Amino acid sequence: MTDVAIEAEATLEIPKAKVPQGDPLSQLEVDAQQLQRAGRLVAVIGDTSSGKSTLLCALYDRYLRGEFGEKSFVGSSTLGGFEKLAHLSRAVSGAQIPDTERTFVSEGLQYYHLALANEPGHRVDLFVSDRAGETYRSAMDRPDEFRQLPELSVARVVTVLVDGARLARPEEQHEALGATRRMVRAMVDSGVLDGSQHLQIVQTKQDEVERSGRSASVTSQLDELVQRLKKDFGSKLATIELFAIAARDPRVEFVPAYGCDDLLTAWCDAVEPSVCPVRQDMAPATQFDRLARVRSGRTPK
């Protein structure tokens, strides 16, 4: 081999295969995946520390153990994102107590993907949103800002998390309930929620509520809140439901992802809106329509 050939071979760039990183998806990436396979979008919202990221992490960890909620894990295009989310809950992280890294405002909107099946040939693709709670808290005072959050208008299910730890503290309960009511009202008044969408009020950290000894009071207050929401907005939304979960109990007194199976089932089974047929006006509206009818052998009216 000549020196020229050796030099040419040394400088030859070999294309490297692109390996998907499995990071959380942007709205555009979710839209692209929707074109290939229809899925269901779920918007999980709530104030800071209400448990949004912990819920996502708990669902992923639960499916690592096997079937959950009568559904099997089929796959995910965001496995890398789930692994990063779960790092602080693993022994390898060196953390003394299992934790989940919070979502920062700078990260904007991102989605995690879960593909599930409860029987052969019956697959459900869930795209679950994750955004910093500060964004939603800010929008409560300026409802027009909700229109700038695309996850709300495109979601079939909107899941509002209420921090159970705050509900269990008498000095914070009223403010937590009031903030939830204001958030729902702001979303409805801004027009981002409509009759095709399902609203879920989800009380998190049921483990802390039980240990506070105030479980009955918390449940009563939440029931009252949901009944009030149904009275005010029941005619404007498809359904309004209440759930209580303990995604992760540090004391391990509750099973992992306690109550999340019912929530997951509600995500997967949320009824799609009925398709209303659009009446076609057969009368030609323009000269081009009339010309098209003449060429097709039909006499324009």
Side-chain angles (χ1 to χ4, degrees), residues 26-275:
S26 67
Q27 184 68 60
L28 288 176
E29 290 170 326
V30 170
D31 293 343
Q33 289 204 23
Q34 290 272 72
L35 293 174
Q36 300 176 26
R37 181 191 295 272
R40 173 156 295 173
L41 275 66
V42 178
V44 178
I45 70 175
D47 207 342
T48 306
S49 300
S50 58
K52 299 181 297 298
S53 298
T54 304
L55 169 59
L56 288 165
C57 182
L59 289 174
Y60 174 66
D61 279 343
R62 191 58 188 78
Y63 275 111
L64 291 179
R65 302 165 182 254
E67 183 178 293
F68 179 64
E70 299 183 351
K71 295 173 180 62
S72 299
F73 177 77
V74 176
S76 172
S77 57
T78 57
L79 286 176
F82 274 122
E83 280 296 323
K84 293 177 184 176
L85 200 63
H87 175 67
L88 293 180
S89 66
R90 307 276 172 76
V92 70
S93 70
Q96 297 297 315
I97 300 175
D99 198 1
T100 306
E101 186 172 345
R102 62 186 294 259
T103 305
F104 295 97
V105 174
S106 59
E107 296 176 275
L109 171 64
Q110 51 191 8
Y111 287 88
Y112 289 85
H113 171 236
L114 281 173
L116 309 173
N118 57 4
E119 58 185 58
H122 188 270
R123 166 173 167 160
V124 177
D125 285 80
L126 292 174
F127 297 93
V128 187
S129 73
D130 186 33
R131 188 196 285 271
E134 291 90 339
T135 303
Y136 300 115
R137 185 172 57 193
S138 172
M140 281 195 296
D141 299 323
R142 295 180 288 272
D144 285 348
E145 290 187 9
F146 278 115
R147 298 195 185 100
Q148 309 304 317
L149 308 179
E151 67 271 26
L152 297 176
S153 58
V154 300
R156 178 65 52 227
V157 181
V158 176
T159 300
V160 180
L161 302 189
V162 189
D163 189 342
R166 297 187 63 200
L167 292 175
R169 293 191 283 267
E171 67 275 15
E172 295 189 52
Q173 184 183 89
H174 180 74
E175 200 282 329
L177 292 170
T180 302
R181 184 166 55 248
R182 291 198 308 275
M183 183 175 292
V184 174
R185 176 175 293 279
M187 289 189 292
V188 174
D189 289 347
S190 63
V192 296
L193 299 186
D194 59 35
S196 68
Q197 293 168 293
H198 302 266
L199 175 66
Q200 299 171 336
I201 304 299
V202 180
Q203 174 231 295
T204 62
K205 305 176 186 177
Q206 178 65 17
D207 52 313
E208 296 193 39
V209 173
E210 291 285 349
R211 285 193 284 268
S212 73
R214 305 190 67 255
S215 179
S217 172
V218 170
T219 300
S220 175
Q221 292 294 323
L222 280 171
D223 284 339
E224 183 178 332
L225 169 64
V226 170
Q227 291 307 314
R228 184 171 177 178
L229 292 177
K230 287 182 177 180
K231 179 180 178 181
D232 293 342
F233 310 116
S235 61
K236 300 179 180 180
L237 299 170
T239 60
I240 302 176
E241 295 181 285
L242 174 63
F243 297 84
I245 65 173
R248 180 195 298 128
D249 177 12
R251 300 188 187 181
V252 201
E253 294 173 355
F254 281 66
V255 297
Y258 171 85
C260 294
D261 50 347
D262 291 336
L263 181 63
L264 187 69
T265 297
W267 288 354
C268 294
D269 295 347
V271 177
E272 296 285 344
S274 57
V275 178

